[in-house]
Amino acid sequence: MRLILVGPPGAGKGTQAAILSEKLGVPHISTGDLFRANIGEGTPLGLEAKSYIDAGNLVPDDVTVRMVESRLQDEDAKDGFLLDGFPRTVPQADELKRILSGLGLEADGVVQFDVSEDVVVDRMLARGRADDTEDVIRNRMRVYETETAPLLDYYAGSIVTVQAEGSVEEINERALEGINGLK
Ligand code: ADP
């Protein structure tokens, strides 16, 4: 399956994607993880992305799209993938459509993780990642509302919404049910 996961920062997409990836047998492609790996290795892409990420802003679309385009061409993504954190803007969604159609493919659907703002702030503060300070979290939430939430209209018709409060297992069950409904 080729799935796109959407939800505010702290919605638990990464946690769910890791489990779903095992269960569905497709790779978990997280742009946040790819950026953090590049930062860790000190690559030029990592150096470019770091200042944006530290401030809770989006990395520019061209940089992000190039990184995803290259990752989607890897052998393991041929038969499916879970995209976590991409697309995050409408222009990125247009680019994804272009990339996939170039490969003769299209996404099977979008899984939206729906969670209240209080819960996500608590989860992120507990996680304690470098970009999880209160100011940066607040900025990421604002960026989500303005840049990413419009994707819910963009993908209307191919979205399943998963209520993402509760235990990891409960949410995973709901996600799998939703995904089964897409087939
Ligand atoms: P979270 O889901 O908590 O926001 P991620 O690991 O998905 O965390 O992303 C961390 C940061 O990486 C984002 O705040 C942003 O700076 C950058 N990033 C991730 N995905 C994208 C993307 N598709 N476009 C631009 N920037 C991105």
Side-chain angles (χ1 to χ4, degrees):
M1 291 210 87
R2 299 181 180 87
L3 297 173
I4 297 164
L5 311 184
V6 178
K13 293 188 303 290
T15 304
Q16 292 298 328
I19 306 171
L20 292 170
S21 159
E22 289 253 319
K23 293 195 174 168
L24 302 171
V26 293
H28 170 203
I29 300 179
S30 155
T31 43
D33 288 350
L34 290 171
F35 284 131
R36 283 185 288 276
N38 275 280
I39 291 170
E41 290 160 16
T43 68
L45 186 137
L47 290 177
E48 181 163 5
K50 188 174 185 317
S51 59
Y52 297 99
I53 292 177
D54 285 349
N57 292 321
L58 294 181
V59 178
D61 284 343
D62 60 327
V63 177
T64 308
V65 167
R66 257 186 285 126
M67 179 177 78
V68 172
E69 183 157 19
S70 137
R71 179 65 185 88
L72 285 175
Q73 280 158 11
D74 289 348
E75 186 64 21
D76 68 335
K78 224 176 47 184
D79 297 323
F81 49 75
L82 289 172
L83 270 180
D84 165 11
F86 185 92
R88 237 177 171 100
T89 65
V90 168
Q92 289 182 11
D94 285 333
E95 288 294 303
L96 177 63
K97 205 178 272 174
R98 174 189 63 77
I99 294 167
L100 291 179
S101 81
L103 297 167
L105 303 171
E106 59 180 45
D108 293 304
V110 177
V111 183
Q112 177 203 0
F113 290 87
D114 194 22
V115 61
S116 75
E117 183 159 338
D118 285 350
V119 168
V120 299
V121 173
D122 284 351
R123 282 185 189 165
M124 283 188 282
L125 288 173
R127 181 169 77 176
R129 216 169 61 193
D131 58 344
D132 282 343
T133 62
E134 205 167 333
D135 285 356
V136 174
I137 290 173
R138 209 169 288 130
N139 190 40
R140 298 220 305 278
M141 306 285 284
R142 225 198 43 216
V143 169
Y144 176 80
E145 286 307 323
T146 56
E147 302 286 327
T148 309
L151 290 177
L152 301 176
D153 285 331
Y154 182 97
Y155 286 122
S158 46
I159 295 191
V160 289
T161 300
V162 174
Q163 204 277 96
E165 295 179 22
S167 71
V168 169
E169 294 74 22
E170 279 165 353
I171 298 166
N172 189 250
E173 266 170 42
R174 287 183 213 134
L176 279 170
E177 260 170 47
I179 290 167
N180 284 330
L182 282 171
K183 284 180 192 163

